[in-house]
Amino acid sequence: MIDFQLSEEQLALQRMAREFAEKEMKPVAAKYDKGEEFPWDVIKKAFEVGFLSSSIPEEYGGGGLSTLDTVIVSEELAAGCAGMFTSIMANSLALTPIILFGTDEQKKKFLTPFTKEMMLAAFCLTEREAGSDAGNISTTAEKVGSEYIINGSKCFITNGGVAKLLVVFANTAKEKGARGISAFIVPADTPGIKIGKIEDKMGHRASNTAEIFFEEVKVPEENLLGKEGMGFIIAMKTLDKARPSVGAAGVGVAKAALQYAIEYAKTRVQFGRPIASFQHIAFKLADMATEINAARHLVWHAAWLIDKGMKASKEAAMAKAYASDVAMKVTVEALQIFGGYGYMKDFPMEKLMRDAKLLQIYEGTNEIQRLVISREIIGPLK
């Protein structure tokens, strides 16, 4: 039975996230977009309302939100500021490997503190020579006695410079390729961890993106997630679960751009009447609204499949790719409606367009999403 109606709890969650975005994020979005400081004040408030621990199961003190609940929140927060959204929801990305594959002891030890104290976490997979080719990471973890010693570096890590906990992917058997990758829970204050370059980004400038170096970093064997060699599977399962939220962020950014464009088109007068009365502008707005709704349905469907425990690699990739492409297209079109004003920092359009671009790149480029989709629909070749 198909039901597109949100529950009362989900509607309340949506309202709460929307109000948070309107009151706490939008008013300071331009300030933090300068990239000169991290939005600790907003992050603190996000922790207080439960967004930083929303994905942690209730038995460990978290919000226990479903994937569908999470994408509902993600859409609203990204509409407020995609950069702040990225820092907030990166906690969910980083903690998901522990939620999915951690032992009860690991969950109690590493998840519970996130429900009691404001902390950020980081998902450490990407390297300079291993972006889309995640199976080719060169960071190593050598077993010595009852410890693993990690050496290597990671780049483009969201929250990398401000996180207190890292989930690090490293090779324990490099000769096995992707099957030799393992995942480790690593406190960020472990000796040997050094923060490198803080990236100066085109968009999402309110988020912290850093390079991290690991030099003889000793990690106890009990911090291994799953078993040796499971790291690549852990990473892919985590990304499958996280990708609908990136799609939802695309919907949120596009929705915000559309709302600004409608308001502007109704008040901007040319040739004696509002430009919204011209068919060319009206149809442009109609197409934007249609594509946003289509993207939202893809996102919600992927989230629903995940919550039902069904395989959703293809649908998650579709949701992420399509919704982020829609965000890019809609922000470009919305800026065009604003004309020259849209190009100026006095208006939010240029920020929305810059923010939309990263959604097509992070957590797997849209080219990689299409690779996932094509392999799923084509199947094995003879």
Side-chain angles (χ1 to χ4, degrees):
M1 187 70 179
I2 297 174
D3 186 355
F4 292 103
Q5 186 174 351
L6 298 180
S7 68
E8 286 299 321
E9 292 79 9
Q10 288 170 329
L11 289 171
L13 187 65
Q14 185 181 56
R15 285 192 298 270
M16 182 178 73
R18 185 172 299 164
E19 289 174 5
F20 185 88
E22 290 290 334
K23 294 179 181 179
E24 307 297 345
M25 300 172 78
K26 280 188 178 181
V28 295
K31 169 188 172 183
Y32 288 114
D33 182 58
K34 294 178 181 178
E36 296 169 353
E37 58 180 311
F38 189 71
W40 284 115
D41 54 342
V42 179
I43 299 298
K44 182 176 184 296
K45 292 172 183 176
F47 167 74
E48 290 169 352
V49 297
F51 291 143
L52 293 187
S53 58
S54 62
S55 64
I56 296 174
E58 291 180 348
E59 57 263 41
Y60 301 102
L65 295 190
S66 67
T67 310
L68 181 55
D69 294 336
T70 300
V71 300
I72 292 168
V73 170
S74 296
E75 177 181 332
E76 301 303 329
L77 296 185
C81 174
M84 291 182 222
F85 154 80
T86 291
S87 284
I88 292 169
M89 298 311 292
N91 257 28
S92 178
L93 173 65
L95 298 179
T96 292
I98 305 174
I99 294 169
L100 293 180
F101 294 93
T103 63
D104 181 62
E105 183 179 349
Q106 286 173 331
K107 291 175 184 179
K108 287 177 180 176
K109 181 177 180 179
F110 295 110
L111 296 181
T112 303
F114 279 85
T115 70
K116 297 179 179 180
E117 178 187 348
M118 187 195 74
M119 293 190 292
L120 294 172
F123 181 82
C124 301
L125 177 64
T126 303
E127 299 180 1
R128 293 287 177 189
E129 302 301 325
S132 295
D133 185 11
N136 193 40
I137 63 174
S138 59
T139 297
T140 60
E142 181 184 359
K143 183 75 176 295
V144 179
S146 61
E147 295 178 321
Y148 288 89
I149 300 177
I150 300 177
N151 284 283
S153 64
K154 301 291 179 177
C155 68
F156 306 150
I157 305 302
T158 300
N159 291 344
V162 293
K164 289 193 175 182
L165 188 71
L166 313 174
V167 172
V168 181
F169 295 84
N171 255 305
T172 47
K174 196 168 180 61
E175 70 279 3
K176 294 182 180 180
R179 294 181 180 179
I181 297 172
S182 302
F184 301 89
I185 307 169
V186 186
D189 61 358
T190 304
I193 295 178
K194 297 180 180 179
I195 305 302
K197 180 183 179 184
I198 305 298
E199 302 293 347
D200 186 9
K201 306 186 297 296
M202 172 182 169
H204 292 238
R205 293 175 59 79
S207 66
N208 173 277
T209 306
E211 189 171 28
I212 305 178
F213 295 96
F214 302 86
E215 299 177 6
E216 299 294 305
V217 176
K218 296 180 180 179
V219 180
E221 61 184 355
E222 58 263 29
N223 285 23
L224 173 70
L225 273 173
K227 299 178 180 179
E228 282 193 12
M230 282 186 63
F232 189 76
I233 293 173
I234 291 172
M236 294 304 104
K237 293 290 184 182
T238 296
L239 291 172
D240 279 350
K241 187 172 175 60
R243 279 170 180 155
S245 287
V246 180
V251 175
V253 169
K255 179 175 69 173
L258 176 61
Q259 289 170 342
Y260 283 124
I262 291 171
E263 292 166 7
Y264 183 80
K266 289 168 69 176
T267 57
R268 173 65 168 168
V269 175
Q270 291 287 276
F271 306 102
R273 56 187 173 132
I275 63 173
S277 67
F278 293 101
Q279 188 180 77
H280 175 71
I281 299 296
F283 281 14
K284 192 187 291 283
L285 294 170
D287 286 343
M288 291 157 67
T290 301
E291 290 177 344
I292 290 170
N293 273 11
R296 182 182 292 113
H297 279 77
L298 271 177
V299 168
W300 285 13
H301 179 234
W304 178 84
L305 286 173
I306 292 169
D307 288 339
K308 292 293 182 181
M310 302 168 70
K311 190 176 187 299
S313 297
K314 176 184 67 179
E315 289 78 7
M318 286 178 172
K320 192 273 184 184
Y322 184 77
S324 58
D325 283 349
V326 165
M328 193 72 247
K329 180 179 179 181
V330 167
T331 54
V332 170
E333 292 281 37
L335 191 148
Q336 188 70 19
I337 289 173
F338 273 75
Y341 289 110
Y343 202 69
M344 306 303 163
K345 287 186 178 292
D346 296 337
F347 290 84
M349 290 314 310
E350 58 86 30
K351 176 185 182 298
L352 288 167
M353 191 173 78
R354 287 187 284 110
D355 285 344
K357 187 61 201 173
L358 185 58
L359 299 174
Q360 294 180 304
I361 298 172
Y362 74 4
E363 292 196 32
T365 65
N366 283 1
E367 289 73 20
I368 289 296
Q369 306 311 314
R370 288 174 170 84
L371 179 63
V372 171
I373 296 164
S374 63
R375 285 175 173 174
E376 288 279 340
I377 64 174
I378 294 171
L381 296 172
K382 294 181 181 178

